[in-house]
Amino acid sequence: MAESPSKSPNKVLRSPVQFLMPSPIITRRTRTHSTSRAASNNPVKTGVIKEFCKHKGHGFIIPDGDSSTTLFVHVSDVEGEYVPCTGDHVTYKECLVPPKKIKIQAVEVIITHLAPGLKHHRWEDPEDD
């Protein structure tokens, strides 16, 4: 009598071990209401995209007037239809990153000028391999 595939001893279902550590990245979804409100009250600043990876979901901004600093930006904080590219000019607001509130990340990021000479992709475009 043949066994059914689901009861075969060679097919052991294993669940991967998952470590339930909180992510150090603060996204729009995980940001508290008070932190979001405080960031919204901050002034609008300008900068240039240093790098951004759609696949990884984050990138960095160089603030205007301070080329020694880079600000982290998460994909959930980018507004608009285009994926940011190196050299794009953006506006953003600064948000202190909990729990220590020492580091700063960029939120409410809007591309104001697309970098010339680059092909810009929309969010819904398939990723290039």
Side-chain angles (χ1 to χ4, degrees), residues 52-87:
F52 191 88
C53 179
K54 179 181 173 183
H55 178 71
K56 291 180 182 178
H58 69 269
F60 298 93
I61 295 174
I62 300 171
D64 286 347
D66 187 5
S67 61
S68 64
T69 303
T70 58
L71 297 175
F72 176 82
V73 59
H74 188 263
V75 66
S76 66
D77 288 308
V78 179
E79 309 288 337
E81 64 181 305
Y82 290 104
V83 178
C85 290
T86 301

Side-chain angles (χ1 to χ4, degrees), residues 6-127:
S6 63
K7 294 184 180 184
S8 172
N10 295 333
K11 293 194 176 193
V12 178
L13 298 177
R14 296 182 186 149
S15 62
V17 176
Q18 295 180 359
F19 297 100
L20 301 175
M21 294 176 56
S23 172
I25 299 172
I26 306 300
T27 65
R28 181 181 284 181
R29 175 179 265 178
T30 59
R31 195 175 302 124
T32 63
H33 181 68
S34 60
T35 302
S36 294
R37 187 175 55 240
S40 289
N41 291 333
N42 286 338
V44 174
K45 296 190 175 190
T46 59
V48 176
I49 296 291
K50 177 180 180 182
E51 61 183 286
F52 191 88
C53 179
K54 179 181 173 183
H55 178 71
K56 291 180 182 178
H58 69 269
F60 298 93
I61 295 174
I62 300 171
D64 286 347
D66 187 5
S67 61
S68 64
T69 303
T70 58
L71 297 175
F72 176 82
V73 59
H74 188 263
V75 66
S76 66
D77 288 308
V78 179
E79 309 288 337
E81 64 181 305
Y82 290 104
V83 178
C85 290
T86 301
D88 288 347
H89 291 265
V90 295
T91 61
Y92 63 92
K93 294 184 179 183
E94 292 181 345
C95 178
L96 291 172
V97 179
K100 295 181 181 179
K101 296 190 176 185
I102 297 171
K103 295 182 180 182
I104 299 171
Q105 82 178 56
V107 298
E108 299 181 25
V109 178
I110 300 170
I111 300 172
T112 56
H113 294 90
L114 299 175
L118 297 177
K119 181 175 180 180
H120 284 79
H121 296 279
R122 290 187 164 84
W123 291 108
E124 65 270 8
D125 291 346
E127 289 189 45

